[in-house]
Structure formats: C-alpha cells, structure tokens
C-alpha cells in the first residue's frame, strides 16, 4: 500500500489509501482529462489524496493551488498505453462533468458486503473493466470514521465545499434507498418526490401493522375452537399454498393425525415433509430451545407435556 | 374458492416464508395450549399480536436493527428507554428541526419501525425496507391461517 502519509503537502486528511490498477487507469484518464479541460480540477476543493512520489505513480490530485507544479509530473505519466485513453475518449466528450456517483452505490454495497456489485456500479462511471474492492480516501469530513473511504468528485458547476460534498453523497444514498423502497411499496411507481414517497411508506407501514392487529384479533376469536391437528394441517397447507397446491393438502390432512403423537415432533416432521430445503430446517432444529425462552413472556405457562395432548387429539371439523 | 385469496401474487417474495410460518404456528400452538381457557379474547389477541412480531423478528434473524429492538422489547418490556438514550443526542438535534416536513416524516417513520430512533436516516430507510418485507409476509401468513379456519368452521 503506497500510502504517502509523510507527504504532507498534498494531504488534507490522513487516510489509508489502497492503490491498485483501477486507480492507475483512472489516473491516466484523468491526465487526458486534465489536458483537455482544466475546469473541473479548478473548481474542486483541495481534498485529500495521499501521494506517493517514490512509488512512481500518482493517485488523483484534487487540490487546486498545489496542482501547478505537478503538471509536469503528470505529463511524465503518459507512458500508460493510449488505448486506454481511446476507450475513454467517447466518454470524455460526453461526460465532461466527471460525475462519480459510485460513492452512493459503493457504500451501499459495502454495507451488504459484496465488492462485486460495487464493481458493476463503478463501471458505469469509469468504464473500467477491472475493479476490485476499492478503499479510497474519504473526501468527506473526518467524522465518518469508517475504514473504507469513498472517493467523491464534485460535479461541474457545483459547490465543492467538503460539507456540501458530504451532503450530496448522503442525499444520493438516501434517494437510492428511496428508490428501493419504491419497488417494495405497491403503487408507488408514479409518485416522485421524497415527501410524498415518505407519506406513502408511512401509510403502508401503518396499514400493515393495523392488518396484523386485526388478523391477530380474528385469530384469537377463532383459535380456541380449533385443535392442534388443524395447526398441523395448516402448516402443511400454508407451506404448500405458497407453491399453489392448497386443495390437495386439505384432503391429506386427516390421514396425518393418526401417525403423530408428539406435538413438537408433529410440526417438525410435518415441516420436513413439505418441500423445504434442509438448510432451513437445520437451524430451526436447535432454535426451539431459544424459542421456548423467547415465548416465555408471551405464553406465561411452560410448555405442556405431550402426553396431555394425546387425549385431545381429535379432529374437530 | 377461499384459497385463492391466499395465493395472490406476491411482488416481494420473502425467502424466509416457510421459516416464518413454522415459528408463528409453533407460537400459536403454544398459546393455544397454555392460555386458551384462562384469558379473554382481547388478551389473547394481544398475546397473538405480540407473538406475531416476535416470530417475525425471529425469522428475520439477528442482523437487523429492528429485530434487535423487537426481541429486546420482548425480553425486557420496561427497558425501552435505553434504546432512546442511545440516540438521545441525535433526537435532541432533530427535535430542533421538527417543524420541517421531512423531519416530521422521519420522526413518524422512526416511531413506526421498531428501534428506529437510534438510526440515521439512510439506515432507517434500509430497515424500513426489510421490515416491510417481513410484515407483508407475516400478514399473508396470518390471512392464510384465518381463511383456513373460516373454511373449516
């Protein structure tokens, strides 16, 4: 890791840097860019990029006033193959703004722990074929305190204060997540705008919670009349109804009751017979112990022995 | 046919639906075993609602903030104030700008999603997304159960 921490001339904040091939090619891109259009660099604040002169290659230079002596340094970097520049040429013309919105998706995907998705989002912006997990220097305030930093570049004609950059990243993160929520909440495709979307989301969550309450009331009313075997039938029925064969299982039900004597085992074997992958069963096998503990608060009495159940095991339909 | 109501198209299929069903039905049977003679309908509905949330949180796993909040609230019903304390500085700052519309929305959302007071806005949105997924799964499950009871009775 060529972190030029000692090079204090160009460092605003000391942050770890991981330079890899992706950054080098981006650097090349930037050299071409520097030559063609000086404006974006001029319009940018001096943000931290560490500098390793000794390593022979330079990362992004973000600061303005310190850049003048370095132009010559940059021009010496032209030995990087021009094919790369040619690839990016079409993008340079069209994308003079040099927007780098991967900050949003990068951080978003970092939270999910998948570096590959960060790669796919980066390709949009930088048109590079090779990215691995990038940890770049944070250009935001030092209060972030994360280990991985996201490189943010200001758009053309926008404020370049570090605060506003941080604000912009945060806003983009929020809008990205609102778009996700838009897919989840039904009927939100036409609504745009944060306030109305939030209205819809809040209404939806409230209605869902009210539905849970209403259904639990209904269940409480119906519940004592129904027997445990019905639960067993239901567990089969519900799990099969997810696949779409509810009708078949209902006729199947009464045949099952005679073969099971243990309620706990009933549900477990029942569940195993349904079309569920084993990976979902095995964690639940040991969960019942914890589950009993969880449910202590809900059902105050302890779990009744299975012997008591056998007497009650009649199908009351 | 009644079953068709259960099988309406789910736009967000939850991968943990069988797990949810298993936990919830187990909880229901326990409740039926232990409490069906002694409690009134209203009490039982409250217990079932509580069981629904706990089984939902259980099925969702421990990686989410809202599941933490739900399970913690389940174990220690009186210690909700500790959750508020962890975000107290944030809530103080936010109370200053409560009159803005977005902040009102955010405050509402935080009060809806369990454990929402201790998070910043972007992670709150993530938690809401996950919460909505599990809530819809839970609602569908309960609708199926209720409909099957209606058919039998």
């Amino acid at each position: 890791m060529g972190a030029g921490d000692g090079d204090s001339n160009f460092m605003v904040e000391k942050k770890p840097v991981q330079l890899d091939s992706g950054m080098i090619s981006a650097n090349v891109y930037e050299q071409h860019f520097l030559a063609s259009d000086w404006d974006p660099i001029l319009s940018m604040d001096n943000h931290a990029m560490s500098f390793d002169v000794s390593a022979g290659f330079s990362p992004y230079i973000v600061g303005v006033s310190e850049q003048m002596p370095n132009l010559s340094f940059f021009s010496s970097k032209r030995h990087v193959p021009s094919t790369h520049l040619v690839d990016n040429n079409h993008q340079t013309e069209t994308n003079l703004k040099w927007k780098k919105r991967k900050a949003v998706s990068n951080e978003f995907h970092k939270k999910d722990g998948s570096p590959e998705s960060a790669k796919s989002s980066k390709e949009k912006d930088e048109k590079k074929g090779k990215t691995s997990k990038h940890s770049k220097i944070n250009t935001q305030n030092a209060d972030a305190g994360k280990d991985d930093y996201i490189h943010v570049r200001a758009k053309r004609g926008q404020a370049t204060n570090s605060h506003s950059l941080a604000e912009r990243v945060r806003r983009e993160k929020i809008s990205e997540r609102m778009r996700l929520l838009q897919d989840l909440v039904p009927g939100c495709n036409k609504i745009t705008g944060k306030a109305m979307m939030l209205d819809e989301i809040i209404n939806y969550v409230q209605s869902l919670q009210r539905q849970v309450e209403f259904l639990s009331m209904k269940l409480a009313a119906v519940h004592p009349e129904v027997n445990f075997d019905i639960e067993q039938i239901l567990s089969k029925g519900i799990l099969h109804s997810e696949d779409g064969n509810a009708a078949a299982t209902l006729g199947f039900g009464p045949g099952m009751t005679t073969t099971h004597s243990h309620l706990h085992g009933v549900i477990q074997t029942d569940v195993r017979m349904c079309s569920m992958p084993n990976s979902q069963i095995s964690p639940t096998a040991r969960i019942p112990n914890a589950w009993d503990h969880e449910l202590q608060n809900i059902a105050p009495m302890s779990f009744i022995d299975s012997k008591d159940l056998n007497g009650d095991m009649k199908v009351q339909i | 046919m009644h079953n068709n109501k259960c099988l309406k198209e789910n736009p967000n299929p939850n991968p943990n639906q069988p797990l949810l069903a298993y936990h919830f039905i187990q909880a229901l049977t326990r409740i039926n075993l232990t409490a069906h003679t002694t409690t009134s309908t209203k009490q039982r509905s409250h217990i079932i609602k509580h069981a629904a949330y706990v089984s939902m949180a259980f099925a969702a796993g421990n990686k989410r903030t809202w599941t933490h909040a739900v399970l913690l609230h389940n174990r220690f019903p009186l210690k909700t104030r500790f959750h508020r304390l962890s975000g107290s500085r944030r809530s103080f700052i936010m109370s200053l700008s409560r009159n803005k519309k977005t902040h009102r929305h955010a405050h509402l959302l935080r009060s809806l999603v369990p454990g929402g007071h201790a998070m910043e806005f972007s992670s709150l949105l993530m938690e809401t997304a996950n919460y909505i997924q599990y809530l819809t799964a839970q609602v569908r499950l309960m609708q199926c159960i209720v409909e099957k009871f209606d058919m039998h009775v």
Side-chain angles (χ1 to χ4, degrees), chain A residues 247-290:
Chain A
T249 61
L250 287 181
F252 203 76
M256 301 288 295
T257 62
T258 54
T259 61
H260 301 291
S261 60
H262 186 170
L263 180 65
H264 207 66
V266 156
I267 296 186
Q268 277 186 345
T269 54
D270 208 12
V271 153
R272 269 187 218 113
M273 276 190 273
C274 300
S275 54
M276 262 173 36
N278 265 344
S279 59
Q280 281 177 343
I281 306 289
S282 39
T284 64
R286 56 177 165 80
I287 279 180
N289 299 330

Side-chain angles (χ1 to χ4, degrees), chain A residues 205 209, chain B residues 64-70 73 80 82-88 90-91 94 98 103 105-128 131:
Chain A
V205 170
Q209 284 179 338
Chain B
R64 297 286 169 180
T65 313
W66 65 268
T67 61
H68 273 293
V70 167
H73 186 73
T80 48
F82 286 160
H83 260 282
R84 285 188 181 256
L85 273 181
S86 64
S88 68
R90 182 180 305 281
S91 58
M94 279 170 48
R98 196 62 62 75
H103 287 275
H105 282 307
H107 184 67
L108 257 179
L109 199 56
R110 280 171 205 270
S111 60
L112 277 181
V113 176
H117 294 281
M119 291 186 280
E120 53 178 4
F121 196 60
S122 48
S123 38
L124 176 71
L125 291 179
M126 286 258 289
E127 293 295 317
T128 314
Y131 188 56

Side-chain angles (χ1 to χ4, degrees), chain A residues 108 111-112 170 173-175 177-178 180-181 183-186 194-196 198-199 201-206 208-209 211-213 215-228 230-235 237-242 244-247 250 263-264 267-268 271 276 280 283-285 287-288 290-304 309 317, chain B residues 1 3 6-7 11-12 15-19 21-36 38 41-42 44-56 58 64 71 73-77 101-102 104-106 108-109 112-114 120-126 128-133 135-136 138-146 148-153:
Chain A
F108 176 73
K111 282 206 162 81
D112 296 358
R170 179 179 163 267
K173 217 188 340 173
I174 285 179
S175 59
R177 293 182 182 176
M178 298 272 298
L180 266 184
L181 273 172
D183 297 330
L184 267 184
V185 178
K194 219 163 78 160
M196 305 227 294
L198 278 175
D199 263 334
I201 291 168
I202 288 173
N203 281 339
Y204 190 57
V205 170
Q206 272 175 341
L208 280 179
Q209 284 179 338
Q211 259 182 319
V212 167
E213 192 160 343
L215 284 171
S216 74
M217 218 162 41
K218 261 183 131 180
L219 269 180
V222 176
H223 211 68
E225 308 155 1
V226 181
N227 210 350
F228 314 120
I230 304 291
E231 307 285 3
Q232 161 196 348
I233 295 168
L234 282 182
S235 69
I238 288 161
L239 296 170
H240 276 279
S241 72
E242 299 300 327
N245 313 332
L250 287 181
L263 180 65
H264 207 66
I267 296 186
Q268 277 186 345
V271 153
M276 262 173 36
Q280 281 177 343
T284 64
I287 279 180
W291 186 236
D292 291 350
H293 174 66
E294 292 288 342
L295 282 185
Q296 292 274 311
N297 297 341
I298 300 177
M301 291 193 249
S302 59
F303 194 77
I304 297 180
L309 303 178
I317 296 185
Chain B
M1 197 159 143
N3 284 335
C6 242
L7 306 175
N12 313 302
N16 279 342
Q17 188 94 18
L19 200 67
Y22 169 67
H23 283 312
F24 186 56
I25 290 175
Q26 198 177 11
L28 275 183
T29 50
R30 285 188 59 134
I31 293 172
N32 201 12
L33 278 177
T34 61
H36 75 279
T38 56
T41 304
K42 186 176 165 199
R44 213 172 335 119
S45 77
H46 190 74
I47 291 176
I48 287 179
K49 179 175 82 152
H50 203 55
Y53 280 113
V54 172
S55 69
M56 199 166 67
F58 220 79
R64 297 286 169 180
L71 295 175
H73 186 73
N74 176 40
R75 286 187 209 218
F76 310 109
K101 198 169 178 198
T102 47
R104 219 184 306 142
H105 282 307
L108 257 179
L109 199 56
L112 277 181
V113 176
E120 53 178 4
F121 196 60
S122 48
S123 38
L124 176 71
L125 291 179
M126 286 258 289
T128 314
N130 193 256
Y131 188 56
I132 286 178
Q133 248 186 334
L135 260 185
T136 47
Q138 182 76 33
V139 162
R140 287 182 81 232
L141 172 71
M142 290 172 77
Q143 275 172 342
C144 281
I145 295 178
V146 166
K148 296 231 160 78
F149 280 175
D150 283 343
M151 277 189 66
H152 284 295
V153 173

Side-chain angles (χ1 to χ4, degrees), chain A residues 118-164:
Chain A
K119 164 184 177 175
S120 61
S121 60
K122 270 170 65 76
E123 280 194 6
K124 267 187 301 195
D125 297 319
E126 300 174 14
K127 296 273 194 320
K128 279 182 252 305
K130 45 187 187 291
T131 52
S132 55
K133 178 165 185 280
H134 287 260
S135 48
K136 302 201 196 324
I137 293 180
N138 192 11
T139 58
Q140 303 171 2
N141 307 327
D143 60 352
K146 309 176 249 206
D147 288 331
D148 301 307
Y149 297 97
I150 292 149
H151 179 64
V152 182
R153 189 65 70 88
K155 279 196 217 179
R156 180 178 180 152
Q158 287 192 350
T160 56
N161 198 10
S162 65
H163 288 284
S164 46

Side-chain angles (χ1 to χ4, degrees), chain A residues 33-167:
Chain A
F33 198 62
L34 274 177
S36 63
D37 195 3
W38 187 234
D39 278 350
I41 309 295
L42 276 177
S43 64
M44 277 180 351
D45 210 352
N46 42 352
H47 282 280
M49 294 303 290
S50 80
F51 207 87
D52 192 3
V53 182
S54 58
F57 51 81
S58 64
Y60 299 113
I61 300 292
V62 175
V64 174
S65 52
E66 299 115 9
Q67 298 325 303
M68 299 311 282
N70 284 323
L71 252 191
S72 55
F73 184 76
F74 264 140
S75 57
S76 67
K77 288 284 161 277
R78 292 267 178 177
H79 67 275
V80 183
S82 57
T83 54
H84 203 85
L85 292 177
V86 170
D87 288 341
N88 294 327
N89 243 342
H90 66 284
Q91 201 194 0
T92 353
E93 267 102 67
T94 56
N95 195 10
L96 272 182
K97 290 191 180 172
W98 185 242
K99 293 194 289 189
K100 219 177 219 186
R101 216 173 294 150
K102 71 165 169 62
V104 175
S105 36
N106 200 6
E107 182 167 313
F108 176 73
H109 291 296
K110 264 185 189 114
K111 282 206 162 81
D112 296 358
S114 61
E116 285 79 19
S117 42
K119 164 184 177 175
S120 61
S121 60
K122 270 170 65 76
E123 280 194 6
K124 267 187 301 195
D125 297 319
E126 300 174 14
K127 296 273 194 320
K128 279 182 252 305
K130 45 187 187 291
T131 52
S132 55
K133 178 165 185 280
H134 287 260
S135 48
K136 302 201 196 324
I137 293 180
N138 192 11
T139 58
Q140 303 171 2
N141 307 327
D143 60 352
K146 309 176 249 206
D147 288 331
D148 301 307
Y149 297 97
I150 292 149
H151 179 64
V152 182
R153 189 65 70 88
K155 279 196 217 179
R156 180 178 180 152
Q158 287 192 350
T160 56
N161 198 10
S162 65
H163 288 284
S164 46
L165 270 182
E167 263 297 310

